[in-house]
Amino acid sequence: MERLVITGGRRLNGEISVNGAKNAAVAIIPAVILASGVCVIENLPYIEDVVSLVDTLTRLGCKCGFRDRHTLVADSSGVSETQAAFDSVRKLRASYYLVGALLGRFGEASVTLPGGCNFGTRPIDQHIKGFEALGAEVRIEHGQIIAKAAKLRGAPIYLDVASVGATINIMLAAVFAEGTTVIDNAAKEPHVVDCANFLNIMGARVKGAGTDVIKIQGVPGLHDCEYTIIPDQIECGTFMIAAAATGGRVTLKNIIPKHMDSISAKLSEMGCSVREGADFLTVEGAERLKPVTVKTMVYPGFPTDLQPQMTVLLCVAGGTSIVKETVFDNRFQYITELRRLGCDVTIDGRVAVVEGPAKLTGADVTATDLRAGAALIIGGLCADGATSIGNVKYIDRGYETIEHNLSSLGADIKRVRAEEPT
Ligand code: UD1
């Protein structure tokens, strides 16, 4: 078992290049199933979720190989298997995209129910509603989602919540459906747009991604392609917040500054300086960070996936801050771990009240999920003394060698093999 050990108190300084977007990668890799040619996908982050999905695709009969650490070459022409009941599927949330892709291509799919981070109930009713509207019969049996359609036909689908997963999944299933599918109240996140762009470059006809209404005109087939995944908004935001928390100055390269607007605005409101270039931005911390109110929202609002990291930052700001979580019903489980570092946070349902500035001190803590792990790292960077973080496997699901990036910015962080505390 591995732990990350951080000795805090150093300001982060320097520049790093941001990796490709995890949430785009985990949608685009299953989407490869829809292609009948060879797909070359560049700028993939080399993270556990990507490795698990590539393993799953291989088991389904796709010929996949990494040309280099960040480039996947995948040929799905030989895929004939429509059942995905492997361990690798259970590990991640995004395995639900296999349902849309297999259903879209073969008219049937049987996929183990998704795993992924636990922040309360994470239903998939909107995915199922979409598949059914397209003409599929869907049932859940023995832990499998089983979907079958004699023929898929385009249909209007109104999503009760602007779900990222449901929007992408319906897009995948509808690519070959006869006629037009209209997804109303669609999610607008950058990875939704990236997945639509990937499908379109292969010959799909998806219009409106990035707005509330997405229209998919069915096409008979998709061809091979080369595609480059967008930079990761959440990885970039994590490093921006880490720079601000340590009072450092960090430049993030290979990014789309527009995707960072909600984070840049909040950091500026706290007194930090954020300067943007065409494909980079520089964050400089402030001597005195001001308290703010943060409300997580669907894009272009403040992302829920940066809520834990932001909460730690607010712990070292002076005054009372409020964090409102509107996307998930139970995303404050990590607060217990933050308190071990000395954070002063009170939870009332979906609202956290943060009192700062707290004097953080290093402690043994455990990552409760991926982004909670990132928050603990930021806490460790600010804390006096050593912080040892367990359950690093969660962090590895979404950040490529995070300790190398942080070390290159001057952090004292290392990965050690150690027994987890009981
Ligand atoms: C995706 C991201 C995750 C991010 C989240 C919100 C991936 C692989 N994961 O997760 O990192 O935190 O978006 O930006 O891209 N909901 C329903 N019924 C459904 C689907 C969702 O009620 O059928 C609810 C969820 O419980 C949640 C809200 O809708 O409250 C948003 O969920 P959704 O956007 O679907 O998140 P995920 O796709 O699971």
Side-chain angles (χ1 to χ4, degrees):
M1 286 188 196
E2 294 181 327
R3 302 182 71 85
L4 287 173
V5 179
I6 301 165
T7 304
R10 295 189 177 194
R11 290 173 191 246
L12 298 187
N13 276 303
E15 52 178 54
I16 53 167
S17 189
V18 170
N19 288 294
K22 163 190 171 282
N23 286 346
V26 298
I28 285 172
I29 295 169
V32 160
I33 291 172
L34 294 162
S36 38
V38 176
C39 296
V40 180
I41 306 167
E42 295 176 331
N43 202 32
L44 277 173
Y46 196 80
I47 51 174
E48 280 300 316
D49 274 14
V50 163
V51 172
S52 295
L53 270 175
V54 170
D55 175 55
T56 303
L57 238 59
T58 307
R59 286 161 185 261
L60 289 171
C62 178
K63 286 189 193 144
C64 296
F66 282 95
R67 193 163 70 190
D68 57 52
R69 195 173 166 84
H70 296 122
T71 308
L72 179 74
V73 181
D75 178 356
S76 292
S77 53
V79 175
S80 56
E81 182 62 61
T82 59
Q83 291 191 25
F86 323 119
D87 268 357
S88 50
V89 176
R90 208 170 296 122
K91 279 192 206 161
L92 60 154
R93 183 80 192 148
S95 52
Y96 50 41
Y97 293 136
L98 294 165
V99 183
L102 290 168
L103 180 66
R105 173 152 169 201
F106 299 107
E108 59 179 45
S110 176
V111 177
T112 302
L113 278 167
C117 292
N118 172 18
F119 5 90
T121 48
R122 295 183 76 177
I124 52 165
D125 57 302
Q126 300 302 303
H127 305 230
I128 294 173
K129 180 171 91 172
F131 298 147
E132 287 176 343
L134 297 175
E137 273 182 27
V138 186
R139 59 185 204 280
I140 301 203
E141 242 174 52
H142 307 298
Q144 300 283 112
I145 313 168
I146 302 165
K148 215 167 187 158
K151 184 165 180 55
L152 292 169
R153 287 200 174 81
I157 299 157
Y158 178 84
L159 295 181
D160 297 341
V161 280
S163 155
V164 168
T167 303
I168 292 178
N169 230 343
I170 295 165
M171 248 164 38
L172 299 179
V175 159
F176 302 135
E178 190 181 281
T180 306
T181 299
V182 181
I183 310 174
D184 207 339
N185 195 26
K188 294 179 278 200
E189 269 66 5
H191 32 289
V192 173
V193 179
D194 208 36
C195 187
N197 288 343
F198 173 68
L199 294 170
N200 285 341
I201 213 162
M202 294 194 293
R205 293 182 63 193
V206 181
K207 287 192 178 148
T211 74
D212 294 325
V213 181
I214 299 179
K215 291 186 182 163
I216 305 130
Q217 179 82 48
V219 294
L222 299 182
H223 49 73
D224 45 8
C225 76
E226 285 190 18
Y227 192 75
T228 303
I229 293 205
I230 52 166
D232 198 307
Q233 179 204 32
I234 306 302
E235 189 189 46
C236 181
T238 301
F239 280 101
M240 288 169 73
I241 293 170
T246 61
R249 184 177 189 277
V250 173
T251 297
L252 284 317
K253 299 187 300 181
N254 180 34
I255 63 147
I256 300 175
K258 179 82 196 139
H259 292 170
M260 308 313 303
D261 280 355
S262 62
I263 301 102
S264 299
K266 239 350 122 182
L267 294 183
S268 302
E269 197 181 324
M270 291 181 76
C272 301
S273 140
V274 183
R275 280 182 293 109
E276 288 181 11
D279 63 352
F280 68 90
L281 61 73
T282 301
V283 177
E284 197 167 348
E287 279 312 314
R288 291 177 64 82
L289 290 166
K290 295 179 205 150
V292 291
T293 293
V294 178
K295 188 174 176 185
T296 64
M297 307 271 282
V298 295
Y299 188 82
F302 193 93
T304 175
D305 285 354
L306 286 172
Q307 178 257 100
Q309 301 89 314
M310 193 66 186
T311 302
V312 187
L313 175 63
L314 296 176
C315 289
V316 295
T320 306
S321 296
I322 307 287
V323 181
K324 294 182 189 162
E325 172 59 53
T326 75
V327 180
F328 290 108
D329 56 13
N330 191 9
R331 205 173 183 169
F332 284 126
Q333 295 166 66
Y334 65 94
I335 295 292
T336 315
E337 296 302 301
L338 279 195
R339 289 192 187 121
R340 294 182 202 278
L341 298 176
C343 292
D344 182 353
V345 187
T346 317
I347 307 294
D348 183 7
R350 287 181 173 213
V351 178
V353 180
V354 182
E355 297 294 346
K359 173 95 187 74
L360 304 191
T361 53
D364 271 16
V365 289
T366 305
T368 49
D369 64 62
L370 165 58
R371 307 304 171 184
L376 291 172
I377 290 178
I378 296 170
L381 293 172
C382 299
D384 187 29
T387 295
S388 171
I389 304 174
N391 257 347
V392 173
K393 62 180 185 201
Y394 282 127
I395 300 169
D396 292 337
R397 282 193 37 223
Y399 293 92
E400 181 174 338
T401 55
I402 193 165
E403 70 272 26
H404 293 166
N405 272 333
L406 287 169
S407 297
S408 75
L409 296 174
D412 183 343
I413 176 170
K414 52 184 184 293
R415 189 178 285 254
V416 296
R417 289 191 69 78
E419 291 302 314
E420 298 288 318
T422 51

